[in-house]
Amino acid sequence: PLRPLKLRPYAPADLAAIYDICLRTADAGGDGVKLYQDPWVLGHRYAGPYAALESEFCFVLEDSERVEGYILGVPDSARFARESEAKWFSLLRPLYPLLPETDKSEDAQARRLIHAGCPAPSTAWLSQYPAHLHIDLLPSAQGQGLGRALMEALWAALRRAGVPGVHLGVGAGNPRAHAFYLHLGFTELEKVEGRFWTLGYDLR
Ligand code: ACO
């Protein structure tokens, strides 16, 4: 039986649950717990700075016991690149020194992401799709229309802020999420064959 899940704005007490969901959906949408020794490192890249810096564009799904999904958005990826660098990644790097190039573990690669920060794509379409997002639901919350509901909550917040469009990146190993985005009306902006797609959604 489906349980009712409530969609509401992010609150700081949700942060640990969001990091956990980030990890549990990190393996092309499947559970990534076994891939990482450090359970925080991926959340520091894909969850923490969004929640800390752009909380009005973050929403969660919860039942009476726990948070089971989130959408994390930023309205202006160029501004987020600057702010996340100044207020997040530059502070984290001393805690996460780079590991040798020869280390191909997921932990080492996540550290490289922290050192790369979150630069905005330098591309002609950025002015039309300046926002970006990450969305993850635990398996118990998937397939019930809740991913669409989270997306619509973010779209409404972005429209209120006057944002013309939103982009996202999805790995080639996650065709299910890719098909979900196309079904919702996203179109392809860029493709790196066999690696990832960049998709865009027009909010006007
Ligand atoms: N192919 C075609 N249509 C689909 C698919 C699919 N694979 N999946 C969902 N849909 C359709 C549904 O039928 C539904 O249609 P309708 O609203 O017209 O009736 C609509 O899309 C919405 O489906 P939801 O039930 O809301 O989808 P769900 O709640 O499962 O959310 C999501 C999809 C976000 C991919 C979820 O399954 C998930 O979190 N998966 C694991 C983590 C993940 O892969 N996250 C994406 C990472 S990439 C990134 O964040 C940018």
Side-chain angles (χ1 to χ4, degrees):
L2 299 182
R3 295 152 306 124
L5 280 161
K6 183 175 148 199
L7 195 168
R8 62 162 172 78
Y10 166 79
D14 302 326
L15 191 61
I18 287 178
Y19 269 58
D20 190 53
I21 295 167
C22 180
L23 184 59
R24 288 179 191 280
T25 53
D27 188 7
D31 196 335
V33 167
K34 288 201 184 74
L35 300 179
Y36 293 88
Q37 291 189 344
D38 178 337
W40 303 108
V41 63
L42 207 63
H44 282 330
R45 165 61 183 83
Y46 289 111
Y50 297 81
L53 301 172
E54 302 282 5
S55 59
E56 36 173 328
F57 299 96
C58 298
F59 299 88
V60 299
L61 297 167
E62 71 169 356
D63 73 358
S64 55
E65 282 163 20
R66 62 171 187 167
V67 170
E68 301 204 7
Y70 61 70
I71 192 164
L72 308 174
V74 311
D76 179 343
S77 297
R79 190 190 70 199
F80 181 72
R82 292 190 298 273
E83 289 198 352
S84 64
E85 180 56 34
K87 299 178 184 168
W88 189 267
F89 293 112
S90 62
L91 308 177
L92 264 180
R93 281 182 199 125
L95 304 175
Y96 285 91
L98 281 171
L99 297 169
E101 282 290 319
T102 49
D103 187 338
K104 302 295 181 202
S105 67
E106 302 294 334
D107 286 75
Q109 293 182 44
R111 285 181 182 222
R112 282 173 207 127
L113 293 175
I114 285 172
H115 283 257
C118 188
S122 54
T123 157
W125 52 254
L126 191 65
S127 58
Q128 204 183 333
Y129 303 96
H132 78 266
L133 70 86
H134 300 287
I135 181 170
D136 289 306
L137 283 64
L138 291 178
S140 53
Q142 293 169 11
Q144 303 163 45
L146 296 166
R148 179 191 276 280
L150 281 173
M151 198 70 91
E152 287 176 350
L154 176 63
W155 290 343
L158 291 171
R159 283 195 177 103
R160 281 195 298 275
V163 176
V166 56
H167 71 273
L168 59 79
V170 57
N174 193 352
R176 176 183 172 183
H178 181 249
F180 162 77
Y181 298 131
L182 294 185
H183 182 80
L184 261 53
F186 280 79
T187 56
E188 190 174 301
L189 299 174
E190 276 175 33
K191 175 158 97 174
V192 180
E193 201 62 60
R195 291 199 52 214
F196 65 88
W197 297 278
T198 306
L199 307 177
Y201 186 84
D202 209 322
L203 291 161
R204 289 167 301 187

Short mmCIF file of all heavy atoms in Angstrom, two decimals, residues 152-190:
data_model
loop_
_atom_site.label_atom_id
_atom_site.label_comp_id
_atom_site.label_asym_id
_atom_site.label_seq_id
_atom_site.Cartn_x
_atom_site.Cartn_y
_atom_site.Cartn_z
N GLU A 152 7.65 19.90 -9.95
CA GLU A 152 6.70 21.00 -10.12
C GLU A 152 6.85 22.03 -9.00
O GLU A 152 6.68 23.24 -9.23
CB GLU A 152 5.27 20.45 -10.22
CG GLU A 152 5.07 19.76 -11.58
CD GLU A 152 3.71 19.08 -11.75
OE1 GLU A 152 2.97 18.95 -10.75
OE2 GLU A 152 3.42 18.66 -12.89
N ALA A 153 7.19 21.58 -7.78
CA ALA A 153 7.41 22.53 -6.68
C ALA A 153 8.61 23.42 -6.99
O ALA A 153 8.58 24.64 -6.77
CB ALA A 153 7.63 21.77 -5.36
N LEU A 154 9.68 22.81 -7.50
CA LEU A 154 10.86 23.62 -7.85
C LEU A 154 10.55 24.56 -9.02
O LEU A 154 10.92 25.74 -8.99
CB LEU A 154 12.05 22.72 -8.19
CG LEU A 154 13.29 23.47 -8.67
CD1 LEU A 154 13.84 24.40 -7.57
CD2 LEU A 154 14.39 22.52 -9.12
N TRP A 155 9.87 24.03 -10.05
CA TRP A 155 9.54 24.89 -11.20
C TRP A 155 8.76 26.12 -10.72
O TRP A 155 9.02 27.23 -11.18
CB TRP A 155 8.69 24.12 -12.21
CG TRP A 155 9.43 23.04 -12.96
CD1 TRP A 155 10.78 22.91 -13.07
CD2 TRP A 155 8.84 21.97 -13.70
NE1 TRP A 155 11.07 21.79 -13.84
CE2 TRP A 155 9.91 21.20 -14.24
CE3 TRP A 155 7.53 21.57 -13.96
CZ2 TRP A 155 9.69 20.06 -15.02
CZ3 TRP A 155 7.31 20.44 -14.74
CH2 TRP A 155 8.38 19.69 -15.27
N ALA A 156 7.79 25.93 -9.82
CA ALA A 156 6.98 27.06 -9.34
C ALA A 156 7.87 28.07 -8.62
O ALA A 156 7.75 29.29 -8.82
CB ALA A 156 5.87 26.55 -8.42
N ALA A 157 8.79 27.60 -7.78
CA ALA A 157 9.68 28.51 -7.05
C ALA A 157 10.59 29.26 -8.03
O ALA A 157 10.83 30.47 -7.88
CB ALA A 157 10.51 27.74 -6.03
N LEU A 158 11.07 28.56 -9.05
CA LEU A 158 11.95 29.21 -10.03
C LEU A 158 11.17 30.24 -10.86
O LEU A 158 11.67 31.33 -11.13
CB LEU A 158 12.59 28.16 -10.95
CG LEU A 158 13.62 27.23 -10.29
CD1 LEU A 158 14.02 26.10 -11.25
CD2 LEU A 158 14.87 27.99 -9.84
N ARG A 159 9.94 29.89 -11.23
CA ARG A 159 9.13 30.85 -12.00
C ARG A 159 8.86 32.11 -11.17
O ARG A 159 8.94 33.23 -11.68
CB ARG A 159 7.80 30.21 -12.42
CG ARG A 159 7.93 29.24 -13.58
CD ARG A 159 6.54 28.93 -14.18
NE ARG A 159 6.68 28.05 -15.33
CZ ARG A 159 6.43 26.73 -15.33
NH1 ARG A 159 6.00 26.14 -14.21
NH2 ARG A 159 6.59 26.02 -16.41
N ARG A 160 8.55 31.93 -9.88
CA ARG A 160 8.32 33.09 -9.01
C ARG A 160 9.55 33.99 -8.96
O ARG A 160 9.45 35.19 -8.80
CB ARG A 160 7.97 32.63 -7.58
CG ARG A 160 6.53 32.19 -7.39
CD ARG A 160 6.15 32.09 -5.92
NE ARG A 160 6.93 31.10 -5.18
CZ ARG A 160 6.64 29.81 -5.12
NH1 ARG A 160 5.59 29.32 -5.76
NH2 ARG A 160 7.41 28.99 -4.42
N ALA A 161 10.73 33.38 -9.10
CA ALA A 161 11.98 34.15 -9.07
C ALA A 161 12.34 34.68 -10.46
O ALA A 161 13.40 35.28 -10.64
CB ALA A 161 13.11 33.28 -8.52
N GLY A 162 11.48 34.44 -11.45
CA GLY A 162 11.70 34.98 -12.79
C GLY A 162 12.74 34.24 -13.61
O GLY A 162 13.30 34.79 -14.55
N VAL A 163 13.00 32.99 -13.26
CA VAL A 163 14.04 32.21 -13.94
C VAL A 163 13.47 31.62 -15.24
O VAL A 163 12.40 31.01 -15.22
CB VAL A 163 14.54 31.08 -13.02
CG1 VAL A 163 15.55 30.20 -13.74
CG2 VAL A 163 15.15 31.66 -11.75
N PRO A 164 14.16 31.78 -16.39
CA PRO A 164 13.59 31.32 -17.66
C PRO A 164 13.69 29.82 -17.93
O PRO A 164 12.92 29.27 -18.71
CB PRO A 164 14.40 32.09 -18.71
CG PRO A 164 15.71 32.39 -18.04
CD PRO A 164 15.39 32.58 -16.57
N GLY A 165 14.67 29.14 -17.32
CA GLY A 165 14.81 27.71 -17.61
C GLY A 165 15.79 27.04 -16.68
O GLY A 165 16.57 27.71 -15.99
N VAL A 166 15.75 25.70 -16.68
CA VAL A 166 16.58 24.92 -15.75
C VAL A 166 17.26 23.79 -16.51
O VAL A 166 16.66 23.21 -17.43
CB VAL A 166 15.72 24.40 -14.57
CG1 VAL A 166 14.52 23.58 -15.04
CG2 VAL A 166 16.54 23.59 -13.56
N HIS A 167 18.51 23.50 -16.18
CA HIS A 167 19.21 22.37 -16.82
C HIS A 167 19.61 21.35 -15.76
O HIS A 167 19.55 21.61 -14.55
CB HIS A 167 20.42 22.85 -17.62
CG HIS A 167 21.58 23.33 -16.79
ND1 HIS A 167 21.71 24.62 -16.35
CD2 HIS A 167 22.68 22.69 -16.32
CE1 HIS A 167 22.83 24.76 -15.67
NE2 HIS A 167 23.44 23.60 -15.63
N LEU A 168 20.02 20.18 -16.23
CA LEU A 168 20.51 19.13 -15.34
C LEU A 168 21.42 18.20 -16.14
O LEU A 168 21.39 18.17 -17.36
CB LEU A 168 19.35 18.35 -14.70
CG LEU A 168 18.35 17.64 -15.63
CD1 LEU A 168 18.90 16.32 -16.15
CD2 LEU A 168 17.05 17.39 -14.90
N GLY A 169 22.20 17.43 -15.40
CA GLY A 169 23.05 16.43 -16.02
C GLY A 169 22.65 15.05 -15.52
O GLY A 169 22.37 14.88 -14.34
N VAL A 170 22.60 14.08 -16.43
CA VAL A 170 22.26 12.71 -16.02
C VAL A 170 23.23 11.74 -16.70
O VAL A 170 23.54 11.89 -17.88
CB VAL A 170 20.77 12.39 -16.31
CG1 VAL A 170 20.41 12.58 -17.76
CG2 VAL A 170 20.41 10.97 -15.86
N GLY A 171 23.72 10.79 -15.92
CA GLY A 171 24.71 9.86 -16.42
C GLY A 171 24.11 8.87 -17.42
O GLY A 171 22.94 8.50 -17.32
N ALA A 172 24.93 8.46 -18.38
CA ALA A 172 24.46 7.49 -19.38
C ALA A 172 24.09 6.15 -18.73
O ALA A 172 23.32 5.38 -19.29
CB ALA A 172 25.54 7.28 -20.43
N GLY A 173 24.62 5.91 -17.53
CA GLY A 173 24.28 4.68 -16.82
C GLY A 173 22.93 4.73 -16.13
O GLY A 173 22.54 3.78 -15.45
N ASN A 174 22.21 5.85 -16.27
CA ASN A 174 20.91 6.00 -15.59
C ASN A 174 19.81 6.30 -16.60
O ASN A 174 19.20 7.37 -16.59
CB ASN A 174 21.02 7.11 -14.54
CG ASN A 174 19.85 7.13 -13.57
OD1 ASN A 174 18.87 6.41 -13.76
ND2 ASN A 174 19.95 7.95 -12.53
N PRO A 175 19.52 5.34 -17.50
CA PRO A 175 18.51 5.59 -18.54
C PRO A 175 17.11 5.81 -17.97
O PRO A 175 16.28 6.48 -18.60
CB PRO A 175 18.57 4.32 -19.41
CG PRO A 175 19.19 3.28 -18.54
CD PRO A 175 20.12 4.00 -17.62
N ARG A 176 16.85 5.28 -16.79
CA ARG A 176 15.52 5.46 -16.19
C ARG A 176 15.26 6.94 -15.88
O ARG A 176 14.20 7.49 -16.20
CB ARG A 176 15.43 4.63 -14.92
CG ARG A 176 14.14 4.84 -14.19
CD ARG A 176 14.08 4.07 -12.90
NE ARG A 176 12.88 4.47 -12.18
CZ ARG A 176 12.56 4.03 -10.98
NH1 ARG A 176 13.35 3.17 -10.37
NH2 ARG A 176 11.47 4.44 -10.40
N ALA A 177 16.24 7.58 -15.22
CA ALA A 177 16.07 9.00 -14.91
C ALA A 177 16.00 9.81 -16.21
O ALA A 177 15.19 10.73 -16.34
CB ALA A 177 17.22 9.49 -14.03
N HIS A 178 16.83 9.45 -17.19
CA HIS A 178 16.81 10.14 -18.49
C HIS A 178 15.41 10.08 -19.10
O HIS A 178 14.86 11.10 -19.54
CB HIS A 178 17.84 9.48 -19.41
CG HIS A 178 17.94 10.11 -20.76
ND1 HIS A 178 17.53 9.46 -21.90
CD2 HIS A 178 18.39 11.32 -21.17
CE1 HIS A 178 17.72 10.25 -22.95
NE2 HIS A 178 18.25 11.38 -22.54
N ALA A 179 14.80 8.90 -19.08
CA ALA A 179 13.45 8.74 -19.65
C ALA A 179 12.41 9.53 -18.85
O ALA A 179 11.48 10.11 -19.43
CB ALA A 179 13.07 7.26 -19.70
N PHE A 180 12.57 9.58 -17.54
CA PHE A 180 11.68 10.38 -16.68
C PHE A 180 11.75 11.86 -17.09
O PHE A 180 10.72 12.52 -17.27
CB PHE A 180 12.10 10.17 -15.23
CG PHE A 180 11.62 11.18 -14.23
CD1 PHE A 180 10.32 11.18 -13.75
CD2 PHE A 180 12.51 12.14 -13.73
CE1 PHE A 180 9.90 12.12 -12.82
CE2 PHE A 180 12.10 13.07 -12.79
CZ PHE A 180 10.79 13.08 -12.34
N TYR A 181 12.95 12.38 -17.26
CA TYR A 181 13.09 13.80 -17.64
C TYR A 181 12.47 14.08 -19.01
O TYR A 181 11.78 15.08 -19.19
CB TYR A 181 14.57 14.20 -17.65
CG TYR A 181 15.26 14.09 -16.32
CD1 TYR A 181 16.48 13.43 -16.20
CD2 TYR A 181 14.70 14.63 -15.17
CE1 TYR A 181 17.12 13.31 -14.98
CE2 TYR A 181 15.34 14.51 -13.94
CZ TYR A 181 16.55 13.86 -13.85
OH TYR A 181 17.17 13.74 -12.64
N LEU A 182 12.71 13.19 -19.98
CA LEU A 182 12.12 13.40 -21.31
C LEU A 182 10.60 13.37 -21.22
O LEU A 182 9.91 14.18 -21.85
CB LEU A 182 12.63 12.35 -22.30
CG LEU A 182 14.12 12.39 -22.64
CD1 LEU A 182 14.44 11.36 -23.74
CD2 LEU A 182 14.61 13.77 -23.06
N HIS A 183 10.07 12.45 -20.41
CA HIS A 183 8.62 12.35 -20.24
C HIS A 183 8.06 13.66 -19.67
O HIS A 183 6.97 14.09 -20.03
CB HIS A 183 8.28 11.18 -19.32
CG HIS A 183 6.81 10.98 -19.13
ND1 HIS A 183 6.01 10.35 -20.05
CD2 HIS A 183 5.98 11.38 -18.13
CE1 HIS A 183 4.76 10.35 -19.63
NE2 HIS A 183 4.71 10.97 -18.46
N LEU A 184 8.82 14.31 -18.78
CA LEU A 184 8.36 15.57 -18.18
C LEU A 184 8.52 16.76 -19.11
O LEU A 184 8.06 17.85 -18.79
CB LEU A 184 9.13 15.84 -16.87
CG LEU A 184 8.42 15.47 -15.57
CD1 LEU A 184 7.91 14.04 -15.58
CD2 LEU A 184 9.32 15.70 -14.37
N GLY A 185 9.20 16.57 -20.24
CA GLY A 185 9.30 17.66 -21.21
C GLY A 185 10.68 18.28 -21.34
O GLY A 185 10.84 19.29 -22.03
N PHE A 186 11.68 17.72 -20.66
CA PHE A 186 13.05 18.19 -20.86
C PHE A 186 13.50 17.84 -22.28
O PHE A 186 13.08 16.82 -22.84
CB PHE A 186 14.00 17.52 -19.86
CG PHE A 186 13.98 18.11 -18.48
CD1 PHE A 186 12.97 17.80 -17.59
CD2 PHE A 186 14.99 18.98 -18.06
CE1 PHE A 186 12.95 18.35 -16.30
CE2 PHE A 186 14.98 19.52 -16.79
CZ PHE A 186 13.96 19.21 -15.89
N THR A 187 14.37 18.69 -22.84
CA THR A 187 14.94 18.41 -24.15
C THR A 187 16.47 18.37 -24.04
O THR A 187 17.04 18.90 -23.08
CB THR A 187 14.53 19.48 -25.18
OG1 THR A 187 14.93 20.76 -24.66
CG2 THR A 187 13.03 19.48 -25.42
N GLU A 188 17.08 17.76 -25.04
CA GLU A 188 18.53 17.57 -24.96
C GLU A 188 19.28 18.84 -25.34
O GLU A 188 19.02 19.43 -26.39
CB GLU A 188 18.91 16.44 -25.92
CG GLU A 188 20.34 15.99 -25.75
CD GLU A 188 20.64 14.78 -26.61
OE1 GLU A 188 19.97 13.74 -26.43
OE2 GLU A 188 21.53 14.89 -27.47
N LEU A 189 20.21 19.26 -24.49
CA LEU A 189 21.06 20.42 -24.77
C LEU A 189 22.43 19.96 -25.26
O LEU A 189 23.02 20.57 -26.14
CB LEU A 189 21.24 21.28 -23.52
CG LEU A 189 19.96 21.90 -22.93
CD1 LEU A 189 20.26 22.62 -21.62
CD2 LEU A 189 19.32 22.86 -23.92
N GLU A 190 22.94 18.90 -24.64
CA GLU A 190 24.27 18.39 -24.99
C GLU A 190 24.31 16.90 -24.67
O GLU A 190 23.58 16.43 -23.80
CB GLU A 190 25.37 19.06 -24.15
CG GLU A 190 25.85 20.38 -24.68
CD GLU A 190 26.84 21.04 -23.74
OE1 GLU A 190 27.60 20.32 -23.05
OE2 GLU A 190 26.83 22.28 -23.69
#
